[in-house]
């Protein structure tokens, strides 16, 4: 009897061991598979090609859509100097014109944010006078012409100084000799940033009041336009194309009164300062971002300095 009981116990233990072995072989290892899956992160740009389709307007059609800028003509500004750092996903490449306009900004490689259609990036200065506000503007693809009345041109002569691998300085006077604008472009390649320092000097013996200087950019992100959305804060205005790229311009001279604005490209008037803004955020479309600095009075031979920072995120 005792031998039979031991035999039955041994048989039962064998059956249990067999079941445990079979269950272990049929059960996956979820922890290891889950860790492998989580460790693989897909590059969101993989397989993405920047748009270049029918939604893109030509330079001619964009120029035709622009609001009247009074005494305006096609700019003689041309690509002058290019600065490049990094490659591939870390590329930060930008080009300035002979007049101090940004005409290209590419980052990362293959993703251009300014050069689609008409290249609209630049500056406008205004002051109060006995004949009303007198303004001087250069928007890249369009600038003022003539040297009388309320809208006047900048001199075609531009001087360069302090050129390095990270930037340069361009100096330009107004046609009537009232103002000198010194623009210094300096990049921070590690942060995909470009700082533009604008120094406005009164060259006359008169004190000018109500002085305003604006900078603006027609953002055509990821090689096309008409599909961007813009938003703004008190200090910054930014355009975004889908989930990939954001190009912002920020007023970083915080102690000087300033504001930001968004315009549709068709409603943008580059010959005026402090143009009223659209509501933020916008829907999808073709937009321009603006930063306006109110400089107040600039006395004879005096100057004031402001900065904006472009950043690709």
């Amino acid at each position: 009897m005792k031998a039979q009981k031991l035999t039955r116990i041994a048989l039962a233990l064998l059956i249990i061991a067999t079941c445990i072995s079979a269950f272990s072989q049929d059960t996956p290892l979820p922890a290891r598979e889950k860790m492998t899956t989580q460790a693989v992160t897909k590059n969101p740009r993989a397989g993405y090609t920047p748009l270049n389709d029918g939604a893109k307007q030509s330079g001619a059609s964009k120029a035709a859509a622009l609001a009247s800028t009074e005494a305006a003509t096609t700019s003689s500004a041309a690509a002058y100097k290019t600065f490049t750092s990094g490659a591939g996903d870390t590329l930060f490449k930008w080009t300035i014109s002979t007049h101090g306009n940004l005409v290209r900004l590419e980052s990362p490689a293959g993703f251009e944010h300014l050069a689609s259609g008409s290249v609209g990036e630049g500056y406008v200065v205004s002051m109060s006078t006995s004949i009303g506000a007198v303004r001087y503007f250069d928007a890249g693809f369009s600038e003022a012409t003539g040297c009388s009345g309320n809208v006047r041109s900048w001199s075609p002569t531009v001087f360069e100084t302090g050129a390095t691998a990270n930037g340069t300085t361009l100096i330009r006077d107004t046609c009537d000799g009232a103002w000198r604008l010194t623009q210094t472009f300096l990049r921070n390649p590690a942060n995909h940033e470009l700082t533009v320092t604008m120094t406005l000097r009164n060259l006359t013996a008169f004190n000018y009041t109500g002085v305003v200087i604006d900078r603006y950019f027609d953002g055509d992100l990821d090689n096309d336009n008409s599909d961007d959305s813009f938003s703004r804060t008190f200090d910054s205005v930014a355009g975004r194309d889908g989930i990939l790229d954001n190009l912002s311009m920020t007023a970083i001279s915080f102690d000087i009164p300033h504001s930001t604005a968004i315009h549709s490209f068709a409603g943008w008037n580059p010959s005026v300062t402090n143009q009223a803004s659209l509501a933020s955020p916008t829907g999808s479309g073709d937009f321009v971002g603006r930063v306006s600095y109110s400089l107040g009075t600039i006395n004879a031979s005096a100057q004031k300095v402001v900065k904006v920072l472009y950043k690709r995120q």
Side-chain angles (χ1 to χ4, degrees):
M1 293 293 292
K2 186 175 181 179
Q4 291 177 347
K5 185 175 181 181
L6 291 173
T7 301
R8 287 197 298 271
I9 292 172
L11 181 61
L13 291 172
L14 179 62
I15 293 172
I16 292 171
T18 303
C19 292
I20 292 173
S21 176
F23 180 79
S24 299
Q25 292 175 6
D26 292 340
T27 303
L29 301 176
R32 178 171 294 181
E33 290 186 0
K34 188 175 292 184
M35 288 174 63
T36 302
T37 300
Q38 291 175 343
V40 177
T41 303
K42 184 179 179 181
N43 187 334
R45 298 182 186 279
Y48 178 84
T49 301
L51 295 177
N52 188 3
D53 54 22
K56 175 180 175 180
Q57 292 178 293
S58 68
S61 64
K62 289 191 69 169
L66 189 67
S68 171
T69 57
E70 299 175 64
T73 185
T74 300
S75 176
S76 60
Y80 168 60
K81 187 171 286 188
T82 297
F83 299 83
T84 303
S85 62
D89 286 346
T90 65
L91 179 76
F92 189 62
K93 179 180 179 181
W94 48 280
T95 302
I96 58 172
S97 75
T98 54
H99 289 175
N101 313 94
L102 282 174
V103 297
R104 291 186 65 87
L105 197 157
E106 180 184 354
S107 181
F111 290 76
E112 166 61 41
H113 307 306
L114 291 176
S116 174
S118 297
V119 180
E121 196 280 342
Y123 45 91
V124 55
V125 171
S126 68
M127 61 182 178
S128 298
T129 74
S130 59
I131 63 170
V134 172
R135 295 114 60 193
Y136 312 81
F137 82 96
D138 188 335
F141 73 99
S142 179
E143 65 176 317
T145 183
C147 204
S148 61
N150 295 93
V151 181
R152 303 180 187 183
S153 66
W154 293 85
S155 169
T157 302
V158 181
F159 298 95
E160 182 178 30
T161 184
T164 69
N166 287 320
T168 191
T169 296
L170 301 179
I171 303 170
R172 192 181 191 191
D173 295 348
T174 56
C175 64
D176 53 12
W179 298 103
R180 171 166 295 165
L181 179 64
T182 301
Q183 301 183 84
T184 297
F185 300 84
L186 182 64
R187 69 181 177 184
N188 182 332
N191 294 336
H192 300 102
E193 295 174 348
L194 172 63
T195 299
V196 184
T197 301
M198 298 179 289
T199 302
L200 188 65
R201 176 179 289 275
N202 181 348
L203 298 179
T204 73
F206 304 98
N207 299 334
Y208 289 122
T209 63
V211 181
V212 180
I213 184 170
D214 291 6
R215 192 154 201 114
Y216 34 54
F217 72 101
D218 170 27
D220 298 322
L221 280 76
D222 293 343
N223 300 4
D224 66 348
N225 51 56
S226 299
D227 64 347
D228 300 328
S229 59
F230 270 58
S231 61
R232 70 186 181 109
T233 64
F234 185 78
D235 299 314
S236 185
V237 58
R240 190 175 87 175
D241 190 331
I243 64 171
L244 292 180
D245 286 304
N246 179 298
L247 178 64
S248 63
M249 178 174 60
T250 302
I252 58 174
S253 298
F254 299 115
D255 58 337
I256 298 178
H258 58 272
S259 62
T260 62
I262 302 167
H263 319 298
S264 68
F265 184 85
W268 171 37
N269 189 339
S271 73
V272 302
T273 53
N274 204 24
Q275 183 180 358
S277 179
L278 297 174
S280 173
T282 69
S284 181
D286 188 8
F287 298 101
V288 175
R290 180 191 297 254
V291 166
S292 298
Y293 277 107
S294 296
L295 303 182
T297 299
I298 300 183
N299 292 329
S301 302
Q303 67 181 34
K304 291 190 177 182
V305 182
V306 294
K307 298 181 180 183
V308 298
L309 181 136
Y310 280 107
K311 183 175 181 67
R312 195 279 293 178
Q313 296 171 302

